[in-house]
Amino acid sequence: EFTHEEPPVELLREYAEIHPCTPTSMGDPGFMKLYGVDYPLYTGAMAKGIASADLVIALGKRKILGSLGAGGLPLHLVNQALDKIQAALPNGPYAVNLIHSPFDESLEKGNVDLFLKRGVTIAEASAFMTLTIHVVRYRVAGLSMRNGKIHKKNKIIAKCSRTELAEMFMRPAPDKFLKKLLAIHF
């Protein structure tokens, strides 16, 4: 004979309880801590200033990470946008897009020079099919030692369309780039 016994009410409450899903609870709290934001998300850059300084500022004031669409913009316009962003968000959060320029290396170099000069600590790397010395220079320029631990000032968010590209950004920087950068600076 089959008997059906009702589960205890406490057990039903535990399984029936629905926890609210809020924008702050949908992602990794580590992301929020790392980037100094209140939401585990960011808005990616749209090239040629479509993701404008005004958009980045509006997001930053709400503690959401926004990335300036610096790709395809002349350096003087990126510099002007940084003037506006840094005046409104002196402590962030904001990122600036670094787009791969395989046909004009000076664009990547110029942007990295500008980012380092202006104290940009978050770069959104996009369209990279291979790692370049400029990306590596940006990242290692922000390395220091604090209390015996490595501090990483400059962060890179890599926009990747394939797993092998993500792996490229997750691996240690190639020795050939590090040796070249050390030779230049020492």
Side-chain angles (χ1 to χ4, degrees):
E1 176 178 327
F2 179 79
T3 61
H4 178 66
E5 190 175 313
E6 291 294 320
V9 173
E10 299 81 31
L11 186 61
L12 286 174
R13 283 192 184 120
E14 182 179 333
Y15 287 107
E17 185 176 344
I18 298 173
H19 299 281
C21 184
T22 64
T24 58
S25 68
M26 292 192 298
D28 183 3
F31 178 92
M32 294 185 287
K33 183 178 179 186
L34 181 66
Y35 294 105
V37 295
D38 290 342
Y39 299 91
L41 54 93
Y42 89 102
T43 63
M46 295 177 64
K48 297 187 179 180
I50 293 172
S52 67
D54 290 335
L55 176 63
V56 171
I57 292 166
L59 292 162
K61 286 184 176 183
R62 288 166 182 80
K63 300 294 276 179
I64 299 171
L65 182 61
S67 185
L68 174 69
L73 288 180
L75 286 177
H76 75 279
L77 293 180
V78 177
N79 197 45
Q80 287 175 5
L82 282 171
D83 285 341
K84 191 172 186 178
I85 292 168
Q86 290 177 332
L89 303 170
N91 300 311
Y94 68 90
V96 182
N97 181 246
L98 176 64
I99 195 163
H100 182 47
S101 303
F103 303 109
D104 188 355
E105 184 180 344
S106 67
L107 293 174
E108 267 179 55
K109 181 185 181 312
N111 275 295
V112 168
D113 290 344
L114 181 62
F115 294 2
L116 294 174
K117 178 182 173 188
R118 297 296 304 264
V120 172
T121 60
I122 306 169
E124 177 197 46
S126 61
F128 283 85
M129 301 307 283
T130 185
L131 205 54
T132 68
I133 195 165
H134 305 297
V135 171
V136 173
R137 181 170 64 100
Y138 173 77
R139 180 74 160 130
V140 300
L143 296 176
S144 63
M145 292 293 287
R146 287 189 187 167
N147 301 321
K149 294 183 180 181
I150 298 173
H151 174 72
K152 300 170 272 286
K153 177 182 170 189
N154 296 338
K155 299 165 187 66
I156 296 175
I157 297 174
K159 288 172 49 175
C160 301
S161 58
R162 300 193 320 257
T163 55
E164 64 270 17
L165 298 177
E167 289 173 11
M168 171 183 75
F169 277 96
M170 294 173 71
R171 289 191 184 111
D175 283 343
K176 65 180 182 180
F177 291 153
L178 295 174
K179 287 176 182 175
K180 187 172 182 178
L181 291 168
L182 285 171
I184 292 169
H185 292 289
F186 295 105

